[in-house]
Amino acid sequence: MVNFKAYREVDGAAAVELAKKCQQVSEETGACIAVCPPAVSLALVAASVDIPVLAQNVDPYAPGSATGWVTPSMVKACGAVGTLINHSEHKVGAETVAECVRMSLDCGLTAVVCADNVETAVSLAHCTPDFIAVEPPELIGGDVSVTTANPRIVESTVESVREVSRSVRVLCGAGVKTGKDVAAAIALGADGVLLASGVVKAKDQYAVLTDLVSSL
Ligand code: G3P
């Protein structure tokens, strides 16, 4: 799952170009690659590719008087299939997470809830989102993968979330940049990875994407 964040590299039409590279690598390799473009590019990206497109956030509002907020229903209507919730750079309280998960699932969106640590992951797993993504904030944007710096957080999150619900799948992220990192994540029990800078800021995004999925 490639989070485009708000990097300059994905401003405007560049978001579509990166999403198309993700689609190309997905088609060439059979790997499932999803993208999370900024809200302003969501509809355009969703209309341009066939791979899963997710929002970076939703707000817990129904359609109507909600100026400036991003509702689950508008995310669904523009062709996205899911959303991140509570990313480390866009945290909301536990009650808001629960409401966003509920409203997203009601709309038929895949809910990916982010957590900084095992304790938060377990607590938020009780909302039964589709995925919990564990990302230690201090490793986000860095060059050392969570799978190297803190493999235990991945294993513990997988074990602990499984005890809460076997239907909640686990992603890990922060510093993931190579196929080796992805292989390590899978070996630690994760169902996949959530990453950003390794792809978005790469000189050759296609080559990095190809390497990332090479062990799958
Ligand atoms: O959402 C993914 C993210 O927070 C991890 O970022 O740049 O460390 O892959 P990065």
Side-chain angles (χ1 to χ4, degrees), residues 1-3 5 7 84 87-89 114 135 139-142 144 173-177 194-199:
M1 194 169 289
V2 184
N3 178 7
K5 298 200 174 180
Y7 285 120
L84 302 181
H87 188 276
S88 188
E89 295 152 10
C114 301
E135 300 194 313
L139 298 174
I140 290 178
V144 183
V176 173
K177 292 205 159 42
L194 175 61
L195 79 163
S197 55
V199 169

Side-chain angles (χ1 to χ4, degrees), residues 51 68 89 99 115 124 158 173 176 190 203:
I51 56 175
E89 295 152 10
E99 191 59 359
L124 297 180
V158 170
V176 173
K203 279 207 179 81

Side-chain angles (χ1 to χ4, degrees), residues 20-200:
K20 284 188 173 166
K21 286 179 200 166
C22 292
Q23 173 161 287
Q24 186 185 348
V25 174
S26 176
E27 285 171 354
E28 286 170 357
T29 62
C32 178
I33 304 178
V35 293
C36 310
V40 292
S41 306
L42 195 60
L44 183 59
V45 171
S48 306
V49 293
D50 296 322
I51 56 175
V53 177
L54 289 83
Q56 294 180 4
N57 172 61
V58 285
D59 300 304
Y61 292 95
S65 307
T67 304
W69 299 100
V70 177
T71 68
S73 117
M74 68 171 71
V75 165
K76 176 75 178 176
C78 79
V81 301
T83 183
L84 302 181
I85 295 167
N86 197 45
H87 188 276
S88 188
E89 295 152 10
H90 198 123
K91 280 195 190 158
V92 294
E95 278 181 26
T96 303
V97 171
E99 191 59 359
C100 289
V101 170
R102 187 190 64 74
M103 293 181 75
S104 297
L105 297 181
D106 279 356
C107 280
L109 291 172
T110 295
V112 183
V113 170
C114 301
D116 285 357
N117 52 49
V118 181
E119 196 186 27
T120 307
V122 169
S123 153
L124 297 180
H126 284 94
C127 306
T128 53
D130 298 282
F131 292 91
I132 289 282
V134 66
E135 300 194 313
E138 67 279 9
L139 298 174
I140 290 178
D143 287 327
V144 183
S145 169
V146 60
T147 53
T148 304
N150 192 353
R152 188 63 200 139
I153 196 176
V154 182
E155 281 176 327
S156 297
T157 302
V158 170
E159 284 163 19
S160 310
V161 166
R162 210 169 267 158
E163 280 168 21
V164 176
S165 167
R166 295 193 80 83
S167 70
V168 179
R169 285 168 284 170
V170 173
L171 307 177
C172 65
V176 173
K177 292 205 159 42
T178 67
K180 221 173 136 192
D181 300 335
V182 174
I186 303 299
L188 291 165
D191 294 285
V193 298
L194 175 61
L195 79 163
S197 55
V199 169
V200 178

